[in-house]
Amino acid sequence: MSIPLFDVNSQEPLFDPEQRRTLAEAALRSITASTAHARGDDFLRILVKDLAEALDVHYVIAGRLVHMDDGSEGIRTLALWGGDGYQPNIEYSLQHTPCQDVTCQSMCFHGSDIQRRFPFDSLLVDMRAESYVGMPLIDTDGKTLGILSAIDTRPIDENKRLLALLLLSIFSARGAAELQHQERTQQLEEIVRVRTESLLAAQANLVEQEQMAALGSLVAGVSHEVNTPIGVALTAASSMGSYADQLVQLLGGAKVSRAELIDIAESLKGAAALIERNLARAADLIGNFKQLAVDQVSEYVADLALHDYVHGLVSAHSPELRKAALGVELDIAPDCQVRLAAGKLSQIISNLLMNSARHGYPQGGPGRITIRARIEADGDEADLRWLLLEFSDDGIGLAPAVREHMFEPFFTTKRGQGGSGLGMHIVYTIVQQLGGQVCAIDCTPGCHIQIRLPLASTQA
């Protein structure tokens, strides 16, 4: 409750200067105590209420300087006390208002006739304002951030003016500090947002590059692998040409024996079989790699015969696996059918295979990788089924510190040796995108990764 310093009718002082000083100090202590633990807009709301009570005025406004749609400057109130309670915040132009003088960093005081002095300020008319005291909110760089003003429907005399200027000058500094803190917080948040977006874009780009690099590695391996059967086929084709020449010579001679014809025919048959086997091997390698390459850039959801599909993926990686002396065993039922995004599944298995080949056997193989898969029903939802995929090897395994961080981006045990640290993060990201879960199981020896992927309710 405020204690009036002046007679309501005459505006004569009710107390002598010493009493007024004591009351001013009491008002200052009261406002300081009530706003001590408040921050930001909460501080301003408490401040305008307490100032209105201490000064016994109808309105107190705390507002921020803003740019209006027409390019002019204006005030957007952050806290507005009017009469007996808080009023909705408003926005108004500074033109033809006493607040315009305040934003020029000068204290503004009009003890009476404020409407006559500013006849184009309709807000003063709506408030039925008679007097005005305003103080700018200036930051530490000397920039005007806003205003703090007291407006009353009665005149304010010189004695009350002194108290108003005292309180407004003290708390305008605190209000300016709050506005400056808000501005800097917003600037920092914007900087963080922009940098976070940049980092996420860079990370996405690196993940894409890692996926393309993995495909590039497969291209080199498949190219080398395909060269062998094609080279054998070319050699066999050359031999067939030689056998054909011998046959022509025999047929052009005076005599030709049955045994000689049978011998050349057998040679031609053997060469043809050799060509067929090796070209079929090359076609199989190229087909598996082509399917892998197409799948990894596709989001298409397809019905997959899981055993055959995973076998094709393993075959596409056979050059890298053979180089590391690793064998792969599939424990997947031949009739296991799933409906999944084939490209996502191929990326998961591809990264798991390459992770084992590059990290599981530092001294090289031999080693064995096992891929198990089965379909299980959700106990809570009968229609929801999951693909449980287990990938394990018998390599060096995972230290506790590695297991804890292995799915984080850029974490690698091959730092400085060509490891990007994105392989297992890609696995984690894809599994999350598909709505599944992935975890590393503590086991000895080797590495054991367990993945659960949701399947459509139509799957058996």
Side-chain angles (χ1 to χ4, degrees), residues 12 20 59 175 213 265 402 457:
E12 290 297 321
R20 289 199 301 274
Y59 298 99
V402 174
S457 59

Side-chain angles (χ1 to χ4, degrees), residues 48 133 167 293:
V48 296
V133 184
L167 296 180

Side-chain angles (χ1 to χ4, degrees), residues 21 25 49 52 94 114 161 188 203 229-230 232 249 258 356 370:
R21 185 181 66 82
E25 290 176 352
K49 176 179 180 293
L94 282 174
I114 187 67
R161 167 181 172 270
L188 286 174
Q203 181 175 324
I230 288 180
V232 173
Q249 290 177 3
R258 179 182 179 86
S356 282
T370 303

Side-chain angles (χ1 to χ4, degrees), residues 15-81:
F15 304 100
D16 60 34
E18 181 62 26
Q19 290 174 314
R20 289 199 301 274
R21 185 181 66 82
T22 301
L23 291 173
E25 290 176 352
L28 181 59
R29 285 195 300 269
S30 175
I31 298 175
T32 301
S34 63
T35 60
H37 301 292
R39 294 291 181 269
D41 291 346
D42 289 339
F43 163 78
L44 295 174
R45 283 175 61 82
I46 296 172
L47 178 62
V48 296
K49 176 179 180 293
D50 287 358
L51 283 175
E53 291 182 352
L55 298 174
D56 190 25
V57 296
H58 202 79
Y59 298 99
V60 176
I61 293 174
R64 181 187 291 277
L65 187 64
V66 296
H67 292 284
M68 308 292 285
D69 292 339
D70 61 1
S72 64
E73 290 187 327
I75 292 294
R76 179 184 300 126
T77 64
L78 302 175
L80 171 55
W81 181 268

Side-chain angles (χ1 to χ4, degrees), residues 70-285:
D70 61 1
S72 64
E73 290 187 327
I75 292 294
R76 179 184 300 126
T77 64
L78 302 175
L80 171 55
W81 181 268
D84 297 325
Y86 294 105
Q87 302 298 314
N89 284 318
I90 59 175
E91 189 172 293
Y92 59 90
S93 173
L94 282 174
Q95 292 183 348
H96 312 299
T97 71
C99 298
Q100 188 172 27
D101 296 337
V102 177
T103 58
C104 294
Q105 300 193 358
S106 62
M107 180 277 295
C108 184
F109 172 72
H110 299 282
S112 62
D113 296 329
I114 187 67
Q115 292 186 45
R116 183 178 61 79
R117 297 171 186 269
F118 296 89
F120 298 107
D121 189 344
S122 60
L123 186 60
L124 295 176
V125 176
D126 295 338
M127 290 178 165
R128 295 181 289 109
E130 179 65 22
S131 53
Y132 178 99
V133 184
M135 193 73 68
L137 303 180
I138 303 173
D139 68 10
T140 54
D141 298 324
K143 174 186 173 184
T144 300
L145 300 180
I147 63 163
L148 182 62
S149 59
I151 305 171
D152 201 12
T153 56
R154 301 165 299 175
I156 296 178
D157 75 355
E158 183 65 18
N159 291 320
K160 193 172 183 179
R161 167 181 172 270
L162 295 176
L163 178 63
L165 293 179
L166 170 67
L167 296 180
L168 289 179
S169 63
I170 291 174
F171 289 103
S172 64
R174 171 74 189 281
E178 292 295 336
L179 292 187
Q180 187 172 16
H181 176 72
Q182 287 181 349
E183 278 196 349
R184 289 180 175 175
T185 299
Q186 292 172 357
Q187 291 171 359
L188 286 174
E189 289 176 348
E190 179 63 16
I191 291 172
V192 170
R193 184 190 65 80
V194 171
R195 290 185 177 178
T196 299
E197 289 180 354
S198 298
L199 285 172
L200 290 175
Q203 181 175 324
N205 187 48
L206 285 173
V207 168
E208 183 177 350
Q209 290 178 4
E210 176 71 11
Q211 292 173 338
M212 295 307 296
L215 279 176
S217 176
L218 285 176
V219 168
V222 169
S223 175
H224 175 76
E225 191 76 4
V226 168
N227 281 337
T228 300
I230 288 180
V232 173
L234 286 173
T235 301
S238 177
S239 298
M240 286 187 70
S242 177
Y243 297 145
D245 290 340
Q246 293 179 30
L247 179 60
V248 169
Q249 290 177 3
L250 284 174
L251 294 175
K255 295 191 307 180
V256 58
S257 70
R258 179 182 179 86
E260 288 177 322
L261 289 175
I262 291 175
D263 186 52
I264 291 178
E266 289 293 337
S267 297
L268 287 170
K269 183 178 178 181
L274 191 60
I275 292 173
E276 182 180 6
R277 286 196 306 272
N278 281 274
L279 290 181
R281 170 62 179 160
D284 186 51
L285 286 169

